[in-house]
Structures are given as C-alpha cells and as structure tokens.
C-alpha cells in the first residue's frame, strides 16, 4: 500500500476526534476487543497497525484533555516564570505568555499573565507575580466561541491576573542566546516596517511577514473572513514560497547543494522568527522535506509531506486539530493537491481560457482558488457561519495583489537596513497595493 504515512495520519486524526468528542470506557473496551480479534484473525497487519494508531491517538487526546482539566480557579497564587512573548496590548493593559517555573504544581505549563502596562517586562525576563489564576470560559451559548479550546491550541492552561505592584522582574535573559537573537531580529524588523510606511499599512505587512495580527482592527479581520481571505493573514505555504523566491534570488551565485542548505536554514529561522504557529510549522516542514528530496535526488511527494507535517504538529499538540490557521492552511493545501489538476483539465476544454499567457494565468488562478476553497469554504462556514459568493474573484484579485506586495515588503525592509529614505520611497508603491487589498475586502 503506497503512501502509508497518509493512512497513518488519517488514522491518527480519527483517533483524536474520537478522544475529543466521543471518548468513553465502553467504546475503548469494544475497540480493544476488536483489535485483539483482528490480531488473531486478520492476515493484514497494516489494518491492525492503523487501528492501533486510532486507539493510541484516542487515549493520547483523552490524557491531554485531563491534563488541562485538572487545573481549577485559585483566588491567590504566587508564580514565577519566564516571559515567552507579548500576547496582547491595549492603551493601559498588557498580556504576556509565560512559562511557569514555580510553584511545582504549575511547573512547565504556559499561562497568560494579565497586568497593567509595564515597560520593565521584556522578552526572556524571569518574573514573579501574585494574582488570581483562572480557567478561561468555555463556550457560553450554542455555537458560541470557545475561548478555552482556542487557548489549548496555543498550549495555554489559564490566566493569572496580577496587580502591577506584585510583579517583580527577578532576572533577564533566561532564554537561549539564539532565541534572544531571533526575538531582537523580530522587534527590529517590526520597527523598520512602522518607520517606512503608515501604521495601517504596517499593520497588514506585520501580519503578512511576521504573523502579528494584534494591531489589525477586528473590522478588517472580519472583512477578510467574509471574503474567504482569512488564510492570507495566516503565514503559510504561500508566504513561504515568496520567501524562498526572494532569498533564492539573493544567493544566485551559490552551488545547488549549498543553496538548498542555506534555504533550509533560512526557512527554519523564519519559522522561529514568526512564532512557530501551526500553519508556518506545516509550511516549513513541507518545504524542508521538498528541499531535502532535491539534495538527495529523490522525488518529493507533496501529499506525503503534508501528512507527515500534520502528524508532527498533532503529536506535539493534539489540540491543534481545532486551530483555525492550521485547518485553513492544511485544508487549502490538501484541496490544491487533490483537485487542482482535475479542475485545470476541465478548463482545458474551454478554448477561450487557452488563447494566450494572460488567459492561461486566469485559468490557473481560478483553478487554484476553486481547489483550495473546496476544503476551506466548509471550515469558514463552520467557524464564522458566513459564506462569500465572490470567493473566486476575491482570491484571484488578492493573489495578484500579493504577487506585488510580498516582493515589495521584502525589498523595502532589506533596503531599510541601509537607507530608511530609499525604503520609504519603495514603500509608497507598497502602500498603494496594500490600500487596494484593504479596499477590496
């Protein structure tokens, strides 16, 4: 049986869904009996292996769920931990993601530390705080937003609301030198973006190349979701393609093997830079597997690469199966792999779409949009309860604009390290295209 990793991943996902929604002792007992029967009777060892994967995934999800459920609200708790990054910020308040080191009960879990704005708190600081530990609300009404599940997709167990007076920075630089260096690069790139263009445009650019959507208004985010363009703001394979093209051009003089090794390093560092979100980790794993296949002179199978990437992500955190950016990114990629060639072949019968390069590009863009949205659309409808009738047009126009925006972002940021004024001149055109993108939605 070809593509065994694909079947293993499907089996694993079925097990996670079972463990998340349908777990009970009776179903586990019956499935275990079925497994034993299959081992005795069946000669097909692969089917037995897949059934065992389903059972193990179900148990793993149940254990993970129990690990979160064992924590309850505590009126007052004294905690110590390391600041991993800033989660949210408003005019007066700030929220930080913290990895707890003390007390022992909370050791190594992630929490959100809520407090008043405090300029003394920085990345990699070890902080002590006194506050109230709370588990986030589950969905309060039918089809309501489940914030608790969302935090679990980020491996966050709860929140600690602390008084500003109780917070004390114990020491600095508690992360590795590599992580601190990557964080400094992230902050530097972000500052460059806001120096060379207006805030509204810089907010969009920050989402497109750094994965930071925190400054984009809810109205714009909703507009993107209504037009079925939410996947554009989640850094994924499309963004990775532009990064590879940009840096491939920068290292044209290198040998093929050296170039591939450099690209692997670049995409790995970029993945760390933007926060290792599920969508970018998926794209990074697939890119690295593709480049490794080239290095080893092997044929790369995209469906196998997608399955392996998804499997790795879901083993690291089984709750990623509920992560919207992961579902949109993986779903869009799966749709393209399964349906793109079929749709292109169907369009080949329409003669007007094969006249010249422009009509062929339009044909390919339409096929790409339809194939991706075959899987993306149901996900968006389930999450947002909305449907866009113009998704094909919006996706084609967005793709055209992004083909101009992404190279201009990289060029302007790169130039800004040498000349801010020249970068600002380049960003005039970039700002125009971003305004067109925002105006389109």
């Amino acid at each position: 049986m070809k593509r065994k990793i694909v079947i293993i991943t499907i089996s694993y996902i079925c097990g996670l869904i079972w463990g998340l929604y349908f777990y009970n002792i009776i179903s586990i007992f019956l499935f275990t009996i079925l497994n034993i029967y299959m081992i005795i009777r069946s000669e097909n060892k692969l089917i037995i292996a897949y059934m065992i994967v389903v059972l193990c995934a179900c148990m793993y999800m149940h254990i993970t769920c129990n690990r979160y459920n064992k924590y309850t609200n505590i009126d007052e708790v004294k905690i110590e931990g390391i600041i991993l990054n800033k989660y949210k910020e408003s005019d007066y308040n700030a929220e930080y993601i913290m990895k707890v080191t003390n007390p022992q009960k909370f050791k190594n879990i992630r929490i959100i530390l809520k407090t008043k704005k405090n300029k003394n708190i920085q990345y990699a600081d070890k902080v002590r705080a006194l506050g109230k530990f709370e588990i986030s609300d589950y969905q309060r009404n039918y089809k309501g937003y489940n914030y608790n599940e969302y935090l679990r997709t980020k491996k966050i167990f709860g929140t600690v609301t602390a008084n500003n007076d109780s917070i004390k920075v114990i020491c600095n630089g508690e992360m590795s030198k590599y992580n601190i260096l990557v964080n400094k690069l992230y902050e530097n790139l972000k500052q460059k973006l806001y120096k060379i263009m207006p805030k509204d445009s810089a907010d969009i650019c920050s989402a497109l190349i750094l994965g930071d959507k925190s400054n984009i208004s809810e109205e714009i985010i909703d507009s993107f979701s209504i037009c079925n363009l939410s996947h554009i703001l989640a850094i994924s394979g499309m963004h990775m393609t532009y990064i590879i093209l940009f840096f491939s051009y920068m290292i044209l003089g290198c040998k093929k093997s050296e170039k591939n090794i450099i690209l692997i390093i670049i995409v790995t560092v970029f993945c760390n830079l933007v926060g290792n979100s599920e969508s970018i980790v998926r794209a990074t794993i697939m890119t690295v597997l593709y480049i490794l296949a080239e290095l080893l002179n092997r044929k790369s199978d995209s469906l196998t690469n997608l399955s392996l990437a998804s499997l790795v992500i879901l083993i690291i955190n089984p709750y990623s199966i509920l992560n919207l950016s992961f579902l949109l990114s993986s779903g869009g990629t799966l749709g393209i792999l399964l349906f793109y060639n079929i749709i292109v072949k169907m369009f080949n019968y329409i003669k007007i779409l094969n006249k010249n390069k422009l009509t062929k590009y339009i044909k390919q863009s339409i096929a790409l949009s339809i194939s991706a949205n075959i899987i993306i659309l149901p996900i968006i409808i389930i999450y947002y309860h909305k449907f866009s009738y113009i998704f094909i047009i919006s996706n084609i126009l967005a793709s055209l604009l992004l083909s101009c925006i992404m190279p201009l972002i990289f060029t302007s940021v790169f130039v800004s390290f040498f000349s801010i004024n020249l970068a600002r001149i380049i960003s005039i055109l970039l700002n125009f295209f971003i305004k067109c993108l925002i105006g389109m939605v």
Side-chain angles (χ1 to χ4, degrees):
M1 189 181 290
K2 293 181 179 180
R3 291 176 169 166
K4 292 176 185 176
I5 194 69
V6 177
I7 309 299
I8 289 171
T9 303
I10 293 170
S11 303
Y12 184 79
I13 290 170
C14 290
L16 293 183
I17 294 169
W18 178 17
L20 186 62
Y21 296 112
F22 309 109
Y23 180 90
N24 58 65
I25 296 299
I26 295 172
S27 66
I28 292 291
F29 174 75
L30 292 174
F31 196 80
T32 305
I33 295 297
L34 180 61
N35 266 316
I36 294 168
Y37 176 80
M38 291 293 290
I39 290 169
I40 296 168
R41 289 281 185 164
S42 178
E43 294 180 1
N44 193 331
K45 303 299 179 187
L46 282 175
I47 293 176
I48 296 167
Y50 298 145
M51 290 176 69
I52 291 171
V53 169
V54 171
L55 183 62
C56 290
C58 174
M59 298 298 291
Y60 179 44
M61 175 57 92
H62 182 67
I63 291 166
T64 305
C65 185
N66 284 343
R67 186 168 174 243
Y68 283 95
N69 291 339
K70 75 177 183 179
Y71 292 94
T72 55
N73 294 344
I74 302 174
D75 288 335
E76 189 174 272
V77 62
K78 189 175 184 180
I79 60 162
E80 289 181 10
I82 300 164
I83 301 297
L84 299 180
N85 63 283
K86 191 176 285 184
Y87 182 62
K88 283 181 186 175
E89 189 176 61
S90 62
D91 293 336
Y92 304 104
N93 302 311
E95 297 179 13
Y96 304 89
I97 295 179
M98 172 193 278
K99 184 180 179 182
V100 180
T101 56
N102 200 40
Q104 190 66 32
K105 180 183 177 181
F106 292 88
K107 192 170 183 180
N108 293 327
I109 71 166
R110 290 184 181 188
I111 61 152
I112 293 174
L113 178 65
K114 292 183 177 181
T115 182
K116 299 287 184 186
K117 253 189 179 180
N118 189 332
K119 291 183 179 179
N120 295 323
I121 300 176
Q122 301 294 330
Y123 173 80
D125 284 352
K126 191 170 187 179
V127 174
R128 182 183 294 131
L130 182 69
K132 182 179 181 180
F133 177 78
E134 294 177 294
I135 302 299
S136 302
D137 291 336
Y138 291 86
Q139 74 182 57
R140 293 176 177 177
N141 49 54
Y142 180 63
K143 292 186 178 179
Y145 179 63
N146 193 325
Y147 189 56
N148 187 276
E149 279 188 354
Y150 169 75
L151 289 184
R152 290 184 183 189
T153 68
K154 303 292 180 186
K155 301 181 84 170
I156 295 170
F157 284 71
T159 60
V160 170
T161 306
N163 189 300
N164 213 38
D165 297 332
S166 74
I167 296 175
K168 182 181 178 183
V169 178
I170 302 169
C171 57
N172 314 106
E174 286 295 296
M175 301 291 283
S176 68
K177 288 182 180 179
Y178 168 76
N179 285 328
I180 291 171
L181 186 65
V182 168
N183 182 258
K184 283 182 179 177
L185 177 60
Y186 175 89
E187 294 296 336
N188 199 351
L189 289 171
K190 198 170 178 180
Q191 286 172 14
K192 297 284 186 189
L193 286 173
Y194 284 90
K195 275 184 182 179
I196 63 177
M197 67 184 77
K199 185 183 180 301
D200 289 348
S201 296
D203 290 341
I204 297 292
C205 288
S206 184
L208 289 174
I209 68 164
L210 297 176
D212 179 17
K213 295 185 282 188
S214 60
N215 295 317
I216 301 177
S217 69
E218 288 295 327
E219 184 183 348
I220 291 176
I221 290 175
D222 286 343
S223 297
F224 271 87
S225 70
I226 290 168
C227 293
N228 284 34
L229 295 173
S230 298
H231 57 285
I232 285 174
L233 297 177
I235 295 183
S236 58
M238 177 186 65
H239 304 76
M240 190 66 78
T241 301
Y242 286 113
I243 288 161
I244 289 170
L245 288 172
F246 178 79
F247 284 103
S248 293
Y249 179 77
M250 298 291 290
I251 54 175
L252 273 175
C254 296
K255 294 178 182 177
K256 188 178 179 181
S257 58
E258 292 172 349
K259 178 182 167 184
N260 284 334
I261 291 167
I262 292 168
L263 287 175
I264 287 173
I265 294 168
I266 287 169
V267 297
T268 305
V269 171
F270 179 74
C271 182
N272 298 148
L273 182 75
V274 299
N276 296 307
S277 67
E278 286 84 351
S279 57
I280 191 61
V281 170
R282 193 274 309 161
T284 302
I285 293 172
M286 288 188 71
T287 303
V288 170
L289 289 172
Y290 177 81
I291 295 171
L292 283 174
E294 267 201 355
L295 275 171
L296 300 170
N297 294 316
R298 301 283 294 272
K299 188 179 178 182
S300 179
D301 182 68
S302 297
L303 192 57
T304 300
N305 292 348
L306 174 61
S307 299
L308 184 58
S310 301
L311 185 62
V312 169
I313 291 165
L314 293 172
I315 287 172
I316 293 170
N317 181 14
Y319 271 100
S320 293
I321 200 169
L322 302 174
N323 183 279
L324 183 58
S325 65
F326 170 68
L327 292 174
L328 291 175
S329 173
S330 301
T333 305
L334 181 61
I336 292 166
L337 293 176
L338 293 179
F339 305 113
Y340 175 75
N341 288 332
I342 297 169
I343 295 169
V344 166
K345 285 177 183 177
M346 290 168 63
F347 284 162
N348 285 339
Y349 293 104
I350 305 173
K351 291 181 180 180
I352 197 171
L353 293 176
N354 297 285
K355 279 189 173 182
N356 51 51
K357 287 184 179 179
L358 178 61
T359 56
K360 284 180 180 178
Y361 175 79
I362 292 170
K363 175 186 73 175
Q364 290 167 357
S365 297
I366 293 171
L368 198 70
S369 178
I370 293 173
S371 57
N373 278 280
I374 286 171
I375 295 180
I376 287 176
L377 267 177
I379 296 169
I380 288 176
I381 291 168
I382 290 167
Y383 271 78
Y384 293 109
H385 313 297
K386 296 171 185 174
F387 173 75
S388 171
Y389 295 98
I390 57 166
F391 70 90
I392 295 176
I393 298 169
S394 61
N395 274 270
I396 291 169
L397 291 175
S399 297
L400 287 168
L401 287 170
L402 282 172
S403 66
C404 301
I405 289 170
M406 295 302 289
L408 284 171
I409 295 176
F410 290 124
T411 304
S412 57
V413 170
F414 180 76
V415 169
S416 70
F417 283 93
F418 307 99
S419 171
I420 288 290
N421 291 329
L422 182 56
R424 282 174 178 160
I425 293 169
I426 297 168
S427 70
I428 293 171
L429 185 59
L430 173 59
N431 186 50
F432 168 75
F433 285 122
I434 289 171
K435 293 295 181 187
C436 290
L437 181 65
I438 295 171
M440 187 188 75
V441 299

